[in-house]
Amino acid sequence: MAQQIHKLNEKINEDALSKLKNARYAKRRYRYLYQQFIKEYIPFSIILLDSDNFKQVNDEFGHMIGDLVIKYIGKILLSIKETYKNELNICRIGGDEFLVILPSTTIKDAKDVAFMIKEAFEQRPFCENEILTNITFSMGVGEIQLNETLEDFLHRVDTHLYRAKRNGKNDIDFNVSNLI
């Protein structure tokens, strides 16, 4: 019975398409890490990713291919999770938006993970049904700061993401805050 409850909890917290954790899990996880930061000053960082060209893929090739792209993204992000030593949490939080939660991680290490993600997608283009395309992301990267609310932190990283989007590149762009 305990094993069945565990399996059910895993399914509740999993995005069915990407096989990553879902938005519900992400909220619980970063709220927990925020409370840990407030009590014990244990840092954590997040990377917010948004696909640069997902809408084009859906418009040009259809939603079935779009679903395959989400599965592909999930597969690559899960492979990064397996190779990274820290217990990072990777979540799909919206259609083509993803969140990487990095417990006990400073901005320097979070940037390293972001570059690892960038390289993984550059090295492995999406290839399905005679469609070959690179999937790229804009990213916002940040570390929680003292005297910052969780909402302010999430907003700050989201702002970095949209600043990266506005750069107009079809590539990953890093905008990292350095609040003192």
Side-chain angles (χ1 to χ4, degrees):
M1 176 113 155
Q3 188 177 15
Q4 288 176 328
I5 291 171
H6 178 73
K7 283 183 182 181
L8 183 59
N9 278 332
E10 286 295 312
K11 285 292 180 194
I12 289 170
N13 290 316
E14 182 181 279
D15 175 66
L17 198 54
S18 68
K19 303 302 181 199
L20 301 170
K21 297 294 185 186
N22 60 24
R24 179 181 327 143
Y25 174 87
K27 286 179 185 176
R28 265 198 333 272
R29 185 68 176 140
Y30 62 63
R31 285 178 179 153
Y32 169 79
L33 292 173
Y34 181 73
Q35 291 304 317
Q36 198 175 26
F37 174 73
I38 295 298
K39 292 176 186 172
E40 302 174 41
Y41 301 106
I42 299 171
F44 74 97
S45 296
I46 62 173
I47 304 168
L48 189 57
L49 301 93
D50 188 38
S51 174
D52 291 325
N53 52 355
F54 185 73
K55 183 178 178 349
Q56 291 172 322
V57 169
N58 266 343
D59 290 349
E60 188 171 339
F61 303 111
H63 292 281
M64 285 180 52
I65 296 297
D67 287 352
L68 292 175
V69 168
I70 295 298
K71 289 178 182 179
Y72 153 85
I73 291 169
K75 184 177 179 181
I76 290 181
L77 290 175
L78 284 172
S79 73
I80 290 168
K81 179 178 173 48
E82 291 172 8
T83 61
Y84 191 72
K85 294 179 180 86
N86 194 347
E87 189 179 311
L88 56 89
N89 308 113
I90 306 176
C91 311
R92 180 177 178 214
I93 58 172
D96 63 335
E97 293 182 337
F98 300 85
L99 177 68
V100 180
I101 304 169
L102 300 119
S104 304
T105 304
T106 64
I107 190 69
K108 179 190 174 301
D109 291 332
K111 285 171 43 178
D112 290 345
V113 173
F115 279 110
M116 198 183 318
I117 291 168
K118 178 184 188 304
E119 289 173 8
F121 282 95
E122 286 175 345
Q123 293 171 2
R124 295 169 60 186
F126 173 78
C127 182
E128 189 74 40
N129 296 341
E130 299 180 16
I131 299 167
L132 178 65
T133 187
N134 282 345
I135 304 299
T136 62
F137 294 92
S138 294
M139 295 186 199
V141 182
E143 176 186 347
I144 189 73
Q145 302 292 312
L146 289 175
N147 301 319
E148 185 174 43
T149 68
L150 182 58
E151 292 76 20
D152 289 343
F153 173 49
L154 296 170
H155 178 74
R156 177 168 55 87
V157 175
D158 192 50
T159 300
H160 291 307
L161 169 67
Y162 283 98
R163 191 176 310 145
K165 280 275 188 206
R166 283 192 305 269
N167 281 343
K169 300 176 184 174
N170 191 20
D171 198 359
I172 297 172
D173 193 67
F174 301 94
N175 288 290
V176 180
S177 100
N178 292 314
L179 294 180
I180 297 175

